[in-house]
Amino acid sequence: MVRLARLPLDMAAEGVGQLTGLLGRALYGRPAGPGDPLPADAEIPVLLVHGLADGASVIPPLERELRGDGVGPFIQIGCNVFGPDIRKSARSLSRQVELACAGGAGRAAVVIGYSLGGLIARYYVQRLGGDAYVPLVITLATPHGGTATALLAPAHRRLRQLRPGSELLTELAEPAARCRTRFVAFYSDMDEAVIPAARGRIDHPDLKAHNILVPGVGHLTLPLHRPVIDEMRTLLAAAEVAFAARHPEGDSP
C-alpha cells in the first residue's frame, strides 16, 4: 500500500535516471537519426497523445525516434490533467484528427497513445466513430482494464475513470462490432502504474486487437524501449504501404 501511495513520486524520480540514458539512445541510436526531415511525399498523419504526467519526457523523444519512414506529419496532442474526463478529451482528439486528415488531402491517420492517452484514442475510435479516419491505434502502457493505482489516487473525475469497473471502462466493454480500427497494445509485466499487468491488454471480443507483452520494463521506459520502437516503425511503414495501395492517387478514404 505504501508503494502504491508513493507511486507518482517514485515514477518521477525513476524517470530522471531512466530517461537520461533513453534520450541519449533516442538521439544517437540509429543511422538515420531522429529529427531527419520528413519526406516530401509523407502520407499518413500520426497523432501522438500524451499521458497524464509525461510532459516533455516521453512523447517528444518518441516522435524523434519514429520520424523518417515516409509517414507524417507528427502532431502532439496534450492531455489536460485537470480536464473533466476522458470523453471530452476524445472529442477534442476527434477534431484534431479531422483537421490532420483534411490538411493531408483528406486521408487517414494513425493515433499512438501513451498511458491515459491510449484510452482517449480508444474511446474516440470505438465510441465516437473515429474508425472512419483511423485504421490503426497503437497504445503504450495503457490501463485498458483500469488499474489498482487509481484506487488510491485523489477523487478527481478523470482518475476515477481509471478505476477497474468504472462507468467509462464499462462503456468501453460494450459491443463494438462495427469498429473497423486495428489496435496494437504494448504492455509490460513490470509496469508500476498499470496493476495488475494484464489490465494493459485489450481483451474485447469485437475489437481487432493484438497485445504485445514487453517483459521487464517500467511505465516510463516502455515507450522508448528499443524493441517497442522498432515494432512501431514496422507498423507505421506497413500502414503507409497499405494506404498507398488503397489510394494510389491520394483519394480520400
Side-chain angles (χ1 to χ4, degrees), residues 57-112:
S57 64
V58 174
I59 295 297
L62 175 60
E63 176 184 339
R64 290 193 293 269
E65 277 288 85
L66 295 176
R67 293 179 66 180
D69 280 335
V71 293
F74 287 84
I75 303 165
Q76 295 185 31
I77 308 297
C79 173
N80 178 5
V81 176
F82 300 104
D85 67 3
I86 289 171
R87 296 179 182 90
K88 183 172 182 179
S89 296
R91 289 192 290 270
S92 177
L93 175 61
S94 172
R95 293 189 291 271
Q96 294 290 334
V97 169
E98 291 180 23
L99 285 172
C101 289
R107 296 185 289 259
V110 172
V111 179
I112 300 175

Short mmCIF file of all heavy atoms in Angstrom, two decimals, residues 57-112:
data_model
loop_
_atom_site.label_atom_id
_atom_site.label_comp_id
_atom_site.label_asym_id
_atom_site.label_seq_id
_atom_site.Cartn_x
_atom_site.Cartn_y
_atom_site.Cartn_z
N SER A 57 8.77 14.42 -21.41
CA SER A 57 9.76 13.36 -21.17
C SER A 57 9.58 12.13 -22.05
O SER A 57 10.51 11.35 -22.20
CB SER A 57 9.70 12.93 -19.70
OG SER A 57 8.43 12.36 -19.40
N VAL A 58 8.40 11.94 -22.63
CA VAL A 58 8.14 10.72 -23.39
C VAL A 58 7.79 11.02 -24.85
O VAL A 58 8.44 10.49 -25.77
CB VAL A 58 7.01 9.90 -22.74
CG1 VAL A 58 6.63 8.71 -23.62
CG2 VAL A 58 7.43 9.41 -21.36
N ILE A 59 6.77 11.83 -25.09
CA ILE A 59 6.26 11.99 -26.45
C ILE A 59 7.27 12.65 -27.39
O ILE A 59 7.46 12.17 -28.52
CB ILE A 59 4.93 12.75 -26.43
CG1 ILE A 59 3.86 11.91 -25.71
CG2 ILE A 59 4.48 13.06 -27.86
CD1 ILE A 59 3.54 10.59 -26.38
N PRO A 60 7.94 13.75 -27.03
CA PRO A 60 8.90 14.34 -27.97
C PRO A 60 10.02 13.39 -28.39
O PRO A 60 10.30 13.26 -29.59
CB PRO A 60 9.42 15.57 -27.22
CG PRO A 60 8.29 15.95 -26.32
CD PRO A 60 7.73 14.63 -25.85
N PRO A 61 10.68 12.67 -27.45
CA PRO A 61 11.71 11.72 -27.92
C PRO A 61 11.11 10.57 -28.71
O PRO A 61 11.76 10.04 -29.62
CB PRO A 61 12.37 11.23 -26.63
CG PRO A 61 11.45 11.60 -25.52
CD PRO A 61 10.72 12.82 -25.98
N LEU A 62 9.88 10.17 -28.39
CA LEU A 62 9.23 9.13 -29.18
C LEU A 62 9.04 9.60 -30.61
O LEU A 62 9.30 8.85 -31.57
CB LEU A 62 7.89 8.76 -28.55
CG LEU A 62 7.03 7.75 -29.31
CD1 LEU A 62 7.77 6.42 -29.48
CD2 LEU A 62 5.69 7.55 -28.60
N GLU A 63 8.61 10.83 -30.77
CA GLU A 63 8.45 11.37 -32.12
C GLU A 63 9.77 11.36 -32.88
O GLU A 63 9.82 10.96 -34.06
CB GLU A 63 7.92 12.80 -32.07
CG GLU A 63 7.83 13.45 -33.44
CD GLU A 63 7.38 14.90 -33.40
OE1 GLU A 63 6.75 15.31 -32.40
OE2 GLU A 63 7.67 15.63 -34.37
N ARG A 64 10.84 11.77 -32.23
CA ARG A 64 12.13 11.79 -32.91
C ARG A 64 12.54 10.39 -33.37
O ARG A 64 13.16 10.23 -34.41
CB ARG A 64 13.20 12.38 -31.98
CG ARG A 64 13.04 13.88 -31.75
CD ARG A 64 14.29 14.47 -31.12
NE ARG A 64 14.51 14.00 -29.77
CZ ARG A 64 14.04 14.59 -28.68
NH1 ARG A 64 13.28 15.68 -28.79
NH2 ARG A 64 14.31 14.11 -27.48
N GLU A 65 12.20 9.39 -32.57
CA GLU A 65 12.56 8.01 -32.93
C GLU A 65 11.76 7.50 -34.12
O GLU A 65 12.25 6.67 -34.89
CB GLU A 65 12.33 7.08 -31.73
CG GLU A 65 13.46 7.07 -30.73
CD GLU A 65 14.67 6.34 -31.28
OE1 GLU A 65 15.46 6.98 -31.98
OE2 GLU A 65 14.81 5.13 -31.01
N LEU A 66 10.53 7.96 -34.27
CA LEU A 66 9.65 7.40 -35.28
C LEU A 66 9.71 8.12 -36.61
O LEU A 66 9.23 7.61 -37.62
CB LEU A 66 8.20 7.42 -34.77
CG LEU A 66 7.90 6.53 -33.55
CD1 LEU A 66 6.46 6.72 -33.11
CD2 LEU A 66 8.18 5.06 -33.86
N ARG A 67 10.28 9.29 -36.63
CA ARG A 67 10.32 10.06 -37.87
C ARG A 67 11.24 9.43 -38.90
O ARG A 67 12.18 8.73 -38.56
CB ARG A 67 10.77 11.49 -37.60
CG ARG A 67 9.78 12.29 -36.79
CD ARG A 67 10.28 13.70 -36.53
NE ARG A 67 10.36 14.46 -37.77
CZ ARG A 67 10.77 15.72 -37.83
NH1 ARG A 67 11.14 16.34 -36.74
NH2 ARG A 67 10.81 16.35 -38.99
N GLY A 68 10.92 9.68 -40.18
CA GLY A 68 11.83 9.30 -41.24
C GLY A 68 11.47 8.07 -42.02
O GLY A 68 12.25 7.59 -42.82
N ASP A 69 10.25 7.53 -41.84
CA ASP A 69 9.83 6.34 -42.58
C ASP A 69 8.72 6.63 -43.58
O ASP A 69 7.98 5.73 -43.97
CB ASP A 69 9.36 5.25 -41.61
CG ASP A 69 10.53 4.51 -40.98
OD1 ASP A 69 11.61 4.49 -41.61
OD2 ASP A 69 10.39 3.97 -39.89
N GLY A 70 8.58 7.86 -44.02
CA GLY A 70 7.56 8.17 -45.02
C GLY A 70 6.20 8.40 -44.44
O GLY A 70 5.21 8.44 -45.17
N VAL A 71 6.08 8.54 -43.13
CA VAL A 71 4.82 8.89 -42.51
C VAL A 71 4.96 10.25 -41.85
O VAL A 71 6.05 10.71 -41.56
CB VAL A 71 4.37 7.85 -41.46
CG1 VAL A 71 4.03 6.53 -42.13
CG2 VAL A 71 5.44 7.65 -40.41
N GLY A 72 3.84 10.89 -41.63
CA GLY A 72 3.87 12.20 -41.01
C GLY A 72 2.90 13.13 -41.73
O GLY A 72 2.27 12.73 -42.71
N PRO A 73 2.72 14.31 -41.22
CA PRO A 73 3.46 14.91 -40.12
C PRO A 73 3.07 14.29 -38.77
O PRO A 73 2.04 13.66 -38.64
CB PRO A 73 3.03 16.38 -40.16
CG PRO A 73 1.64 16.31 -40.72
CD PRO A 73 1.68 15.20 -41.75
N PHE A 74 3.92 14.50 -37.77
CA PHE A 74 3.62 14.07 -36.41
C PHE A 74 3.00 15.24 -35.65
O PHE A 74 3.51 16.36 -35.70
CB PHE A 74 4.89 13.59 -35.70
CG PHE A 74 5.38 12.26 -36.19
CD1 PHE A 74 6.17 12.17 -37.33
CD2 PHE A 74 5.02 11.09 -35.54
CE1 PHE A 74 6.61 10.95 -37.79
CE2 PHE A 74 5.46 9.86 -36.00
CZ PHE A 74 6.25 9.78 -37.13
N ILE A 75 1.92 14.96 -34.96
CA ILE A 75 1.17 16.00 -34.25
C ILE A 75 1.01 15.56 -32.80
O ILE A 75 0.45 14.49 -32.53
CB ILE A 75 -0.21 16.21 -34.89
CG1 ILE A 75 -0.05 16.58 -36.37
CG2 ILE A 75 -1.00 17.30 -34.14
CD1 ILE A 75 -1.32 16.46 -37.17
N GLN A 76 1.52 16.35 -31.88
CA GLN A 76 1.41 16.02 -30.46
C GLN A 76 0.12 16.57 -29.88
O GLN A 76 -0.21 17.74 -30.07
CB GLN A 76 2.61 16.57 -29.69
CG GLN A 76 3.93 15.94 -30.11
CD GLN A 76 5.08 16.41 -29.25
OE1 GLN A 76 4.90 16.73 -28.07
NE2 GLN A 76 6.28 16.45 -29.83
N ILE A 77 -0.61 15.71 -29.17
CA ILE A 77 -1.88 16.07 -28.55
C ILE A 77 -1.69 16.02 -27.03
O ILE A 77 -1.47 14.96 -26.46
CB ILE A 77 -3.02 15.12 -28.97
CG1 ILE A 77 -3.09 15.01 -30.50
CG2 ILE A 77 -4.34 15.58 -28.37
CD1 ILE A 77 -3.43 16.30 -31.19
N GLY A 78 -1.75 17.18 -26.38
CA GLY A 78 -1.57 17.24 -24.95
C GLY A 78 -2.78 16.71 -24.20
O GLY A 78 -3.90 16.68 -24.71
N CYS A 79 -2.55 16.30 -22.97
CA CYS A 79 -3.62 15.81 -22.10
C CYS A 79 -3.70 16.72 -20.89
O CYS A 79 -2.74 16.83 -20.13
CB CYS A 79 -3.33 14.37 -21.66
SG CYS A 79 -4.47 13.74 -20.43
N ASN A 80 -4.83 17.39 -20.71
CA ASN A 80 -5.04 18.27 -19.57
C ASN A 80 -5.33 17.41 -18.34
O ASN A 80 -6.40 16.82 -18.22
CB ASN A 80 -6.20 19.22 -19.85
CG ASN A 80 -6.49 20.14 -18.67
OD1 ASN A 80 -5.78 20.14 -17.67
ND2 ASN A 80 -7.54 20.92 -18.80
N VAL A 81 -4.36 17.35 -17.42
CA VAL A 81 -4.51 16.51 -16.24
C VAL A 81 -5.77 16.86 -15.45
O VAL A 81 -6.43 16.00 -14.87
CB VAL A 81 -3.27 16.64 -15.33
CG1 VAL A 81 -3.46 15.85 -14.04
CG2 VAL A 81 -2.03 16.16 -16.07
N PHE A 82 -6.13 18.13 -15.45
CA PHE A 82 -7.27 18.58 -14.66
C PHE A 82 -8.52 18.74 -15.52
O PHE A 82 -9.50 19.34 -15.08
CB PHE A 82 -6.93 19.89 -13.96
CG PHE A 82 -5.76 19.76 -13.04
CD1 PHE A 82 -4.51 20.25 -13.40
CD2 PHE A 82 -5.88 19.10 -11.82
CE1 PHE A 82 -3.42 20.11 -12.55
CE2 PHE A 82 -4.80 18.94 -10.98
CZ PHE A 82 -3.56 19.45 -11.34
N GLY A 83 -8.49 18.22 -16.74
CA GLY A 83 -9.68 18.26 -17.58
C GLY A 83 -10.78 17.39 -17.00
O GLY A 83 -10.53 16.53 -16.16
N PRO A 84 -12.01 17.60 -17.47
CA PRO A 84 -13.14 16.92 -16.84
C PRO A 84 -13.18 15.41 -16.99
O PRO A 84 -13.41 14.70 -16.02
CB PRO A 84 -14.35 17.57 -17.52
CG PRO A 84 -13.83 18.12 -18.80
CD PRO A 84 -12.40 18.52 -18.53
N ASP A 85 -12.95 14.90 -18.19
CA ASP A 85 -12.98 13.45 -18.32
C ASP A 85 -12.39 13.00 -19.65
O ASP A 85 -12.07 13.81 -20.51
CB ASP A 85 -14.39 12.88 -18.12
CG ASP A 85 -15.35 13.29 -19.21
OD1 ASP A 85 -14.94 13.98 -20.18
OD2 ASP A 85 -16.52 12.94 -19.11
N ILE A 86 -12.28 11.69 -19.79
CA ILE A 86 -11.68 11.11 -20.98
C ILE A 86 -12.57 11.33 -22.20
O ILE A 86 -12.07 11.53 -23.31
CB ILE A 86 -11.42 9.61 -20.74
CG1 ILE A 86 -10.25 9.46 -19.74
CG2 ILE A 86 -11.12 8.86 -22.04
CD1 ILE A 86 -10.01 8.05 -19.25
N ARG A 87 -13.86 11.33 -22.01
CA ARG A 87 -14.77 11.52 -23.14
C ARG A 87 -14.55 12.88 -23.80
O ARG A 87 -14.53 13.00 -25.03
CB ARG A 87 -16.22 11.38 -22.69
CG ARG A 87 -16.60 9.99 -22.18
CD ARG A 87 -18.05 9.97 -21.74
NE ARG A 87 -18.46 8.69 -21.19
CZ ARG A 87 -18.36 8.37 -19.89
NH1 ARG A 87 -17.86 9.26 -19.03
NH2 ARG A 87 -18.75 7.19 -19.46
N LYS A 88 -14.40 13.92 -22.99
CA LYS A 88 -14.18 15.26 -23.55
C LYS A 88 -12.85 15.30 -24.29
O LYS A 88 -12.74 15.90 -25.37
CB LYS A 88 -14.21 16.31 -22.45
CG LYS A 88 -14.06 17.72 -23.00
CD LYS A 88 -14.29 18.78 -21.94
CE LYS A 88 -14.17 20.18 -22.53
NZ LYS A 88 -14.40 21.23 -21.52
N SER A 89 -11.83 14.67 -23.72
CA SER A 89 -10.54 14.62 -24.41
C SER A 89 -10.66 13.87 -25.74
O SER A 89 -10.01 14.23 -26.73
CB SER A 89 -9.50 13.95 -23.52
OG SER A 89 -9.27 14.70 -22.35
N ALA A 90 -11.48 12.83 -25.77
CA ALA A 90 -11.68 12.07 -27.01
C ALA A 90 -12.37 12.92 -28.07
O ALA A 90 -12.05 12.83 -29.26
CB ALA A 90 -12.48 10.81 -26.73
N ARG A 91 -13.30 13.76 -27.64
CA ARG A 91 -13.96 14.66 -28.60
C ARG A 91 -12.98 15.68 -29.15
O ARG A 91 -13.01 16.03 -30.34
CB ARG A 91 -15.15 15.35 -27.95
CG ARG A 91 -16.34 14.41 -27.68
CD ARG A 91 -17.59 15.17 -27.31
NE ARG A 91 -17.49 15.78 -25.99
CZ ARG A 91 -17.85 15.19 -24.86
NH1 ARG A 91 -18.31 13.95 -24.88
NH2 ARG A 91 -17.73 15.82 -23.71
N SER A 92 -12.08 16.15 -28.30
CA SER A 92 -11.05 17.06 -28.77
C SER A 92 -10.11 16.36 -29.75
O SER A 92 -9.73 16.94 -30.78
CB SER A 92 -10.25 17.59 -27.57
OG SER A 92 -9.19 18.42 -27.99
N LEU A 93 -9.75 15.12 -29.45
CA LEU A 93 -8.92 14.35 -30.37
C LEU A 93 -9.62 14.17 -31.70
O LEU A 93 -8.98 14.24 -32.76
CB LEU A 93 -8.60 12.99 -29.75
CG LEU A 93 -7.83 12.00 -30.64
CD1 LEU A 93 -6.48 12.56 -31.05
CD2 LEU A 93 -7.66 10.66 -29.93
N SER A 94 -10.93 13.98 -31.68
CA SER A 94 -11.70 13.84 -32.91
C SER A 94 -11.49 15.05 -33.82
O SER A 94 -11.24 14.91 -35.02
CB SER A 94 -13.19 13.67 -32.58
OG SER A 94 -13.97 13.71 -33.75
N ARG A 95 -11.57 16.23 -33.25
CA ARG A 95 -11.39 17.44 -34.05
C ARG A 95 -9.97 17.52 -34.60
O ARG A 95 -9.76 17.92 -35.76
CB ARG A 95 -11.70 18.67 -33.20
CG ARG A 95 -13.17 18.78 -32.81
CD ARG A 95 -13.49 20.12 -32.17
NE ARG A 95 -12.88 20.26 -30.85
CZ ARG A 95 -13.45 19.88 -29.72
NH1 ARG A 95 -14.65 19.31 -29.74
NH2 ARG A 95 -12.85 20.07 -28.56
N GLN A 96 -8.99 17.13 -33.78
CA GLN A 96 -7.61 17.17 -34.23
C GLN A 96 -7.36 16.18 -35.38
O GLN A 96 -6.63 16.49 -36.33
CB GLN A 96 -6.67 16.85 -33.06
CG GLN A 96 -6.69 17.89 -31.95
CD GLN A 96 -6.04 19.19 -32.37
OE1 GLN A 96 -5.19 19.20 -33.25
NE2 GLN A 96 -6.44 20.29 -31.75
N VAL A 97 -7.94 15.00 -35.29
CA VAL A 97 -7.77 14.00 -36.35
C VAL A 97 -8.39 14.51 -37.66
O VAL A 97 -7.78 14.41 -38.73
CB VAL A 97 -8.38 12.65 -35.94
CG1 VAL A 97 -8.45 11.71 -37.15
CG2 VAL A 97 -7.58 12.01 -34.82
N GLU A 98 -9.59 15.06 -37.57
CA GLU A 98 -10.25 15.54 -38.79
C GLU A 98 -9.46 16.67 -39.43
O GLU A 98 -9.34 16.75 -40.66
CB GLU A 98 -11.68 15.97 -38.45
CG GLU A 98 -12.58 14.79 -38.09
CD GLU A 98 -13.99 15.22 -37.76
OE1 GLU A 98 -14.40 16.30 -38.22
OE2 GLU A 98 -14.68 14.46 -37.05
N LEU A 99 -8.89 17.56 -38.61
CA LEU A 99 -8.05 18.63 -39.15
C LEU A 99 -6.80 18.07 -39.80
O LEU A 99 -6.38 18.52 -40.87
CB LEU A 99 -7.68 19.61 -38.04
CG LEU A 99 -8.77 20.57 -37.56
CD1 LEU A 99 -8.31 21.32 -36.32
CD2 LEU A 99 -9.15 21.54 -38.67
N ALA A 100 -6.20 17.08 -39.15
CA ALA A 100 -4.98 16.48 -39.70
C ALA A 100 -5.25 15.79 -41.02
O ALA A 100 -4.46 15.90 -41.97
CB ALA A 100 -4.39 15.50 -38.70
N CYS A 101 -6.36 15.09 -41.11
CA CYS A 101 -6.70 14.40 -42.35
C CYS A 101 -7.03 15.40 -43.46
O CYS A 101 -6.64 15.21 -44.62
CB CYS A 101 -7.88 13.45 -42.13
SG CYS A 101 -7.46 12.01 -41.14
N ALA A 102 -7.72 16.46 -43.11
CA ALA A 102 -8.03 17.49 -44.11
C ALA A 102 -6.75 18.15 -44.60
O ALA A 102 -6.59 18.42 -45.79
CB ALA A 102 -8.98 18.52 -43.52
N GLY A 103 -5.82 18.40 -43.68
CA GLY A 103 -4.55 19.01 -44.07
C GLY A 103 -3.68 18.10 -44.90
O GLY A 103 -2.79 18.55 -45.60
N GLY A 104 -3.95 16.81 -44.84
CA GLY A 104 -3.19 15.83 -45.62
C GLY A 104 -3.99 15.32 -46.79
O GLY A 104 -3.93 14.15 -47.12
N ALA A 105 -4.80 16.18 -47.39
CA ALA A 105 -5.60 15.83 -48.57
C ALA A 105 -6.70 14.83 -48.24
O ALA A 105 -7.10 14.04 -49.08
CB ALA A 105 -4.71 15.31 -49.70
N GLY A 106 -7.21 14.86 -47.00
CA GLY A 106 -8.38 14.05 -46.67
C GLY A 106 -8.13 12.59 -46.52
O GLY A 106 -9.00 11.78 -46.81
N ARG A 107 -6.93 12.22 -46.06
CA ARG A 107 -6.60 10.81 -45.96
C ARG A 107 -6.81 10.29 -44.55
O ARG A 107 -7.45 10.93 -43.72
CB ARG A 107 -5.17 10.59 -46.44
CG ARG A 107 -4.98 10.92 -47.93
CD ARG A 107 -3.58 10.57 -48.38
NE ARG A 107 -2.60 11.46 -47.81
CZ ARG A 107 -2.06 12.48 -48.47
NH1 ARG A 107 -2.44 12.74 -49.70
NH2 ARG A 107 -1.15 13.24 -47.90
N ALA A 108 -6.24 9.13 -44.26
CA ALA A 108 -6.37 8.50 -42.95
C ALA A 108 -5.28 8.99 -42.01
O ALA A 108 -4.33 9.66 -42.42
CB ALA A 108 -6.30 6.99 -43.11
N ALA A 109 -5.42 8.64 -40.73
CA ALA A 109 -4.43 8.99 -39.73
C ALA A 109 -4.18 7.79 -38.83
O ALA A 109 -5.03 6.91 -38.72
CB ALA A 109 -4.89 10.19 -38.90
N VAL A 110 -3.01 7.78 -38.20
CA VAL A 110 -2.68 6.79 -37.17
C VAL A 110 -2.61 7.53 -35.85
O VAL A 110 -2.13 8.67 -35.78
CB VAL A 110 -1.33 6.10 -37.48
CG1 VAL A 110 -0.90 5.23 -36.31
CG2 VAL A 110 -1.44 5.26 -38.75
N VAL A 111 -3.11 6.91 -34.78
CA VAL A 111 -3.03 7.51 -33.45
C VAL A 111 -2.22 6.59 -32.54
O VAL A 111 -2.45 5.39 -32.49
CB VAL A 111 -4.43 7.74 -32.85
CG1 VAL A 111 -4.31 8.35 -31.45
CG2 VAL A 111 -5.26 8.66 -33.75
N ILE A 112 -1.25 7.20 -31.84
CA ILE A 112 -0.44 6.49 -30.85
C ILE A 112 -0.71 7.15 -29.50
O ILE A 112 -0.52 8.37 -29.35
CB ILE A 112 1.06 6.57 -31.18
CG1 ILE A 112 1.34 5.93 -32.55
CG2 ILE A 112 1.89 5.88 -30.09
CD1 ILE A 112 2.78 6.07 -33.01
#
